[in-house]
Amino acid sequence: MDISVVIPLYNEEESLPELSAWIERVMQANGFTYEVIFVDDGSTDRSLEVIRGLAAGNPNIHAVSFSRNYGKSPALNTGFRRAKGDVVITMDADLQDSPDEIPELYRMITRDGYDLVSGWKKKRYDPLSKTIPTKLFNATARKVSGIKNLHDFNCGLKAYRNAVVKHIEVYGDMHRYIPYLAKNAGYRKIGEKVVQHQARKYGRTKFGLDRFINGYLDLGTLWFQSKFGVKPMHIFGLMGSLMFLIGFLAVLVVLVLKIVSMNSDTYHFYLTKSVYFYLSLASMIMGLQFFLSGFIGELIIRNSPERNTYLIAEEI
Ligand code: UDP
Ligand code: MG
């Protein structure tokens, strides 16, 4: 099978018939063998019934339906587990992404050898309140992930070599960083294609402004994981040791002051009046905490099934 199209959707009943007909048209015109996997993310409208009707009329259409709304990432992950095509294409269900891009995306994966091609909505049809924070967000993501050539991390329209989707796990809200996940998994040939974008035709967006806060937090998590995920002691051990050292030096200062004052008749040094006393207490306790966090992290990793999985590119 050439192509699997994975479509996460949440309450998109109006768009589905049009989208599915459009995809079918593109696939037939190009002679692709394909499947469409709709992942219904717990829709409360008639989306699932609409999909049932579509599937009845076209054997290439399949669907999975969640019992409640879990989010776009879990929906994508579920679709990825089921995808059988050589190239896997994801797109939003709201008709903002155009199926006409599929043939060129397919070609970039199969001919140009890309592992992942991300769409770039160069000309966007979204409100300003979304496009400006998005610019900032993408700049940060580029910097942190080190994938310098991507302008639009969170574009719903993307194409993957099948192996890529089988080796990444999209959870929480991590769909915003799939290129980063792919890079961390060892897939480095990541490209971009300018794609057509349209204003939402039916329904409304499923994400609010909290997307930006959560987006940044997730980026922090990913960065931390990719840097210290399998060696937490390298960061916690270092911070712990530094704190402990500061605490220890502060203790020395306090001790010296005390001894000096004991040998003098007029000067009385009270431990609890010294800033060094509190500094030493706080730093030593925090240092110990950091150190223990690192150590416990290491113990957890020793038991993780992931600790020794590497992506092997070639064996000779
Ligand atoms: N979506 C989903 N689960 C959710 C939220 C969104 O499957 O909890 C789907 C949604 O139906 C659409 C895609 O993810 O197909 C992108 O969502 P949306 O168009 O609302 O995002 P925007 O275009 O505003 O970034
Ligand atoms: Mg949309």
Side-chain angles (χ1 to χ4, degrees):
M1 185 186 295
D2 298 325
I3 299 179
S4 296
V5 185
V6 173
I7 305 177
L9 64 113
Y10 179 51
N11 294 344
E12 309 279 5
E13 55 180 4
E14 304 98 329
S15 313
L16 296 172
E18 203 172 325
L19 178 67
S20 133
W22 193 353
I23 293 174
E24 195 177 336
R25 219 159 49 232
V26 172
M27 295 298 183
Q28 273 169 3
N30 291 274
F32 288 131
T33 49
Y34 74 102
E35 62 178 354
V36 177
I37 304 174
F38 284 111
V39 188
D40 166 29
D41 186 11
S43 296
T44 50
D45 66 354
R46 293 186 54 258
S47 294
L48 189 59
E49 285 156 59
V50 174
I51 293 172
R52 266 201 204 100
L54 295 171
N58 181 345
N60 298 314
I61 295 180
H62 306 278
V64 195
S65 177
F66 285 165
S67 53
R68 70 166 173 86
N69 179 235
Y70 283 100
K72 190 176 178 184
S73 293
L76 282 173
N77 201 58
T78 303
F80 285 166
R81 298 286 84 85
R82 285 171 166 70
K84 293 196 276 290
D86 299 336
V87 173
V88 179
I89 296 201
T90 59
M91 65 169 62
D92 290 353
D94 54 3
L95 292 167
Q96 290 196 272
D97 301 325
S98 158
D100 287 334
E101 309 284 353
I102 293 175
E104 177 60 16
L105 287 170
Y106 177 81
R107 203 196 58 76
M108 287 177 79
I109 301 281
T110 52
R111 298 274 165 75
D112 302 347
Y114 283 105
D115 295 321
L116 188 167
V117 179
S118 180
W120 174 16
K121 295 162 285 185
K122 198 167 179 179
K123 173 121 187 57
R124 292 182 72 123
Y125 294 86
D126 280 321
L128 223 61
S129 62
K130 188 167 152 194
T131 47
I132 292 174
T134 298
K135 277 218 160 70
L136 263 167
F137 161 86
N138 278 309
T140 321
R142 262 197 302 278
K143 190 108 203 129
V144 174
S145 68
I147 308 173
K148 301 200 176 62
N149 58 336
L150 284 200
H151 293 85
D152 191 359
F153 276 73
N154 191 18
C155 183
L157 183 55
K158 286 191 173 62
Y160 310 81
R161 184 183 303 291
N162 187 296
V164 178
V165 303
K166 304 293 182 194
H167 283 102
I168 56 176
E169 206 172 326
V170 194
Y171 63 95
D173 268 343
M174 293 300 180
H175 59 268
R176 301 196 177 91
Y177 300 110
I178 296 182
Y180 195 11
L181 292 176
K183 184 187 167 209
N184 286 343
Y187 296 99
R188 304 194 153 254
K189 198 141 190 249
I190 295 172
E192 182 169 68
K193 175 183 187 310
V194 176
V195 295
Q196 295 292 325
H197 186 238
Q198 284 146 74
R200 211 178 221 284
K201 205 162 159 187
Y202 309 101
R204 49 188 215 78
T205 178
K206 307 298 182 303
F207 297 98
L209 279 177
D210 58 345
R211 73 169 82 196
F212 295 108
I213 301 167
N214 295 338
Y216 276 102
L217 291 176
D218 284 343
L219 188 60
T221 308
L222 270 187
W223 177 80
F224 213 79
Q225 256 174 18
S226 76
K227 273 249 172 325
F228 304 110
V230 285
K231 39 190 178 188
M233 205 53 173
H234 286 196
I235 179 76
F236 289 113
L238 178 74
M239 293 199 315
S241 310
L242 275 179
M243 294 296 283
F244 202 85
L245 190 71
I246 294 172
F248 186 71
L249 291 177
V251 166
L252 284 186
V253 174
V254 176
L255 264 181
V256 169
L257 288 177
K258 185 73 189 176
I259 291 168
V260 170
S261 95
M262 282 195 314
N263 292 327
S264 116
D265 305 331
T266 50
Y267 169 57
H268 289 285
F269 176 75
Y270 295 104
L271 277 184
T272 49
K273 291 222 168 107
S274 164
V275 62
Y276 291 105
F277 175 70
Y278 296 101
L279 190 67
S280 70
L281 269 185
S283 319
M284 283 170 109
I285 293 172
M286 279 166 68
L288 203 66
Q289 301 255 9
F290 277 134
F291 204 86
L292 280 177
S293 310
F295 187 61
I296 291 171
E298 293 285 343
L299 291 184
I300 292 173
I301 286 177
R302 260 165 72 116
N303 286 304
S304 145
E306 301 280 289
R307 70 190 179 279
N308 254 332
T309 354
Y310 312 106
L311 189 72
I312 291 167
E314 205 176 325
E315 283 183 76
I316 296 169

